[in-house]
Amino acid sequence: MKKKIALVTGGFTGESVISLKSAAVVEKTIDRDRYDVYKILIYPGDWHFICASGEKIPVDLNDFSISIGDEKIKFDGVFNILHGSPGEDGKLAGYFDMLGIPYTTCDQLTSAITMNKGYTKAIVQDIPELNVAKSIQLFENSPANASKIQSELTLPLFIKPNNGGSSIGMSKVKTREELPEALEKAFAEDKQVLVEEFVSGREFSIGVFKGKGEITVLPATEIVSSKEFFDYEAKYIPGVTEEITPGRMNEEEVERVGRIVTKVYEKLNCKGAVRIDYFLQHETGKFYFIEINTVPGQTETSLISQQVRAIGMEVRDFYTQLIEEMFG
């Protein structure tokens, strides 16, 4: 008997567009000899499956099932590729936990915490060899913020919305005069804002996943951007960024990074595949943690797909490992 897998996509934020692209790749890549796959679209007040005939079938939220004709389909597990809310922030995870349905991504608590950049940093900062940029977490856009920032942090600074995996609302601030506008921009995206000192370094993004009971660290991708930081344009517009997989690191760096990110994965109790962004500081080579993404993109060109191929693994087999691991 093939297992029935719900591939969940869509979402409540602007990232739903990328979620749909990821889902299209997973849908055509996943091993159909092993799994029957049903793409479930999740939008506010509208959860549905679209039949081959084009008919829209609503999801029964009491047990997360669909009925096609006389057949009621219940799912053995969920392949979660929903970026942003509710797929990445723990809301869906909590719902599936209550129904007892396994899923391929982190549990409810880990998903909720890792959506908050400030809280995540607080948890990982005492991992040996891991550094975090000095930062302040702001909870409201008050006039007192500017002087607080100036007394506690040194320019240049990065200002970014604290929640969410995308790079909208981010600014790099080099002078005091630029602060108010940058704060305004970040608070337009989120109720919490993270202000951190700028670390000058080489930027990398690395995939880590659990499959066959073991944690595997994939080869890191080095991100060389013509933009000042890896923002929305740099991420999604071709040609703005050069991505080198495996990234240029010496043997000591590769080993050290592997040690650190494995610890991050364990300490945050991650499941499935995650992507960790970090800097290696220019002068010192020190590892600076940037953020973790618990539902990384799975498009053709996404970093995880590049990294999986770099170890000589088929992306299809990678998906099989993620699915089998959730059945554990």
Side-chain angles (χ1 to χ4, degrees):
M1 280 289 287
K2 285 198 230 178
K3 289 198 168 90
K4 292 185 171 61
I5 302 293
L7 175 63
V8 301
T9 182
F12 297 0
T13 69
E15 289 183 85
S16 61
V17 189
I18 298 134
S19 189
L20 293 172
K21 285 183 178 171
S22 289
V25 171
V26 176
E27 191 177 25
K28 70 165 195 259
T29 310
I30 215 162
D31 190 341
R32 296 298 177 134
D33 296 336
R34 285 170 176 263
Y35 312 110
D36 285 328
V37 181
Y38 297 80
K39 185 159 73 181
I40 304 290
L41 295 132
I42 294 181
Y43 296 111
D46 178 19
W47 297 31
H48 64 270
F49 169 74
I50 295 172
C51 284
S53 64
E55 190 195 346
K56 191 167 150 180
I57 310 275
V59 173
D60 181 346
L61 296 182
N62 292 302
D63 59 1
F64 192 65
S65 66
I66 52 174
S67 298
I68 299 177
D70 297 333
E71 191 194 359
K72 183 178 170 86
I73 294 164
K74 292 183 100 170
F75 301 107
D76 297 301
V78 171
F79 195 112
N80 175 19
I81 193 60
L82 198 155
H83 309 308
S85 190
E88 200 166 357
D89 58 4
K91 293 190 177 92
L92 268 189
Y95 167 69
F96 292 135
D97 286 344
M98 289 194 292
L99 295 175
I101 301 171
Y103 44 91
T104 52
T105 44
C106 296
D107 69 16
Q108 189 260 328
L109 183 64
T110 297
S111 302
I113 288 170
T114 52
M115 272 305 263
N116 186 308
K117 297 182 176 93
Y119 292 167
T120 305
K121 286 186 164 184
I123 291 170
V124 301
Q125 67 185 3
D126 58 355
I127 289 174
E129 307 176 290
L130 179 147
N131 299 276
V132 294
K134 204 171 160 198
S135 65
I136 299 178
Q137 204 165 329
L138 301 173
F139 296 91
E140 57 178 340
N141 194 6
S142 82
N145 286 342
S147 57
K148 181 179 163 68
I149 291 166
Q150 283 164 28
S151 65
E152 293 183 34
L153 301 177
T154 313
L155 291 158
L157 301 168
F158 255 143
I159 296 188
K160 49 192 171 190
N162 192 30
N163 291 308
S166 94
S167 320
I168 300 162
M170 253 164 85
S171 315
K172 184 176 174 186
V173 169
K174 294 174 184 167
T175 66
R176 305 166 96 152
E177 291 69 46
E178 294 168 358
L179 264 176
E181 194 189 335
L183 288 169
E184 203 65 40
K185 187 172 153 189
F187 273 110
E189 295 297 323
D190 192 3
K191 292 195 271 293
Q192 293 181 29
V193 165
L194 195 65
V195 182
E196 59 188 12
E197 291 183 351
F198 178 67
V199 176
S200 166
R202 294 176 287 145
E203 186 168 351
F204 296 88
S205 193
I206 193 165
V208 186
F209 75 97
K210 199 166 185 189
K212 298 183 176 168
E214 280 177 22
I215 295 173
T216 298
V217 177
L218 293 167
T221 298
E222 185 175 352
I223 292 152
V224 186
S225 180
S226 57
K227 301 275 296 203
E228 207 150 7
F229 56 92
F230 195 41
D231 64 1
Y232 190 85
E233 264 177 62
K235 266 185 196 169
Y236 302 116
I237 295 171
V240 177
T241 329
E242 187 189 356
E243 294 167 0
I244 305 164
T245 309
R248 296 166 296 189
M249 293 193 291
N250 64 35
E251 215 169 303
E252 184 276 330
E253 288 169 336
V254 170
E255 279 179 22
R256 177 161 48 99
V257 166
R259 265 199 308 278
I260 296 169
V261 297
T262 301
K263 286 269 187 341
V264 170
Y265 190 96
E266 291 170 339
K267 182 140 198 190
L268 289 167
N269 188 31
C270 294
K271 307 269 190 302
V274 304
R275 212 188 67 228
I276 295 167
D277 298 342
Y278 64 93
F279 285 123
L280 292 179
Q281 195 176 24
H282 281 315
E283 313 78 68
T284 63
K286 282 182 178 172
F287 178 106
Y288 273 84
F289 175 85
I290 304 175
E291 64 179 49
I292 184 168
N293 190 315
T294 58
V295 183
Q298 297 291 347
T299 59
E300 299 284 11
T301 57
S302 75
L303 301 179
I304 292 265
S305 311
Q306 292 178 37
Q307 294 170 10
V308 165
R309 288 192 289 266
I311 59 168
M313 189 180 195
E314 293 281 342
V315 176
R316 187 191 60 219
D317 298 336
F318 168 63
Y319 292 159
T320 298
Q321 282 201 29
L322 297 183
I323 294 167
E324 290 308 311
E325 185 65 28
M326 78 169 159
F327 293 125

